[in-house]
Amino acid sequence: MSLEERIQQVNQKIEDACKRSNRPFEDVNVIAVTKYVSLQTTGAVLDHGLEHIGENRWQDAQAKWETYGQKGTWHFIGHLQTNKVKDVIGKFAYIHSLDRLSLAKELDKKAASLGIKVNAFMQVNISGEESKYGLQPEQASSFLKDIQSFNNLKVIGLMTMAPHEEDPELTRPVFRGLRELRDDLNGQALTAEPITELSMGMSNDFEVAIEEGATWVRLGSILVGKEEGTRWA
């Protein structure tokens, strides 16, 4: 299947999921996850109008960003080590993996030195899996209080990853849990502006995530494919 055909297929699935949940198609933003594809394929993705690019590791993303960084909007979606902040700050418009205070401090400090603001998603481990990064849901409120004074770091949304299930319907409680947590946090008025965004849903389960309120879905294999010889991140 060609890239163009995959894009059309994904858009149709998004449209159908939006109709089922009475949401406008425009509510859902697609991040094309290019970590498993080449520099050339990443260029083709951008040429086909997919503006948002997601990468997990700077060492895998560097050549792509240096070639195409001005063409798209870049999202860092993988676990971010504090000592790697210097590599991604100012290049990635969104950080989807804010999960600890030390990282928040470093992002705020580096952003202040550049005179920019960083848009971040607070990563929450809704499923409780030990193998996944993220704050526990009960830690989210105190974390937001701890970073209230960070003027160069703005939490615009929450992010989570669901377990990989053969039946995507089984992921629904995870996505619903993230949406409910967002609404609860907004009820506590812990941020200067309401948290609006939900980054959740990948190739296997994005339709369920959309039905539960996802505003950003992170799509790799179903959208851009996967190529032999590319590194698993």
Side-chain angles (χ1 to χ4, degrees), residues 76-91:
F76 194 88
I77 61 175
H79 180 67
L80 181 56
Q81 295 174 309
T82 306
N83 64 356
K84 297 292 185 183
V85 167
K86 64 183 184 301
D87 296 323
V88 305
I89 195 83
K91 302 179 180 77

Side-chain angles (χ1 to χ4, degrees), residues 76 94-101 103-104 107 118-126 133-147 153-161 178 181-182 184-186 188 190-191 195 197-200 218:
F76 194 88
Y94 298 89
I95 306 294
H96 287 246
S97 47
L98 177 61
D99 63 354
R100 60 200 187 280
L101 188 57
L103 178 59
L107 285 167
V118 176
N119 291 313
F121 292 78
M122 183 169 65
Q123 184 171 356
V124 186
N125 187 356
I126 297 289
Y133 292 106
L135 294 154
Q136 297 305 308
E138 61 271 17
Q139 297 173 318
S141 178
S142 60
F143 182 78
L144 287 176
K145 291 175 184 174
D146 288 341
I147 65 172
L153 180 64
K154 182 180 181 181
V155 175
I156 63 166
L158 305 182
M159 185 274 254
T160 201
M161 296 174 65
L178 194 71
L181 177 62
R182 179 200 62 185
D184 178 59
L185 293 171
N186 281 335
Q188 298 177 51
L190 299 169
T191 50
I195 296 169
E197 306 302 310
L198 293 174
S199 172
M200 59 187 193
R218 310 180 302 271

Side-chain angles (χ1 to χ4, degrees), residues 4 35 42 71-73 78 103 118 134 150 157 160 163 177 207 232:
E4 189 171 349
K35 63 178 178 175
T42 302
K71 290 189 76 173
T73 300
L103 178 59
V118 176
F150 293 2
T160 201
E207 293 162 273
W232 283 81

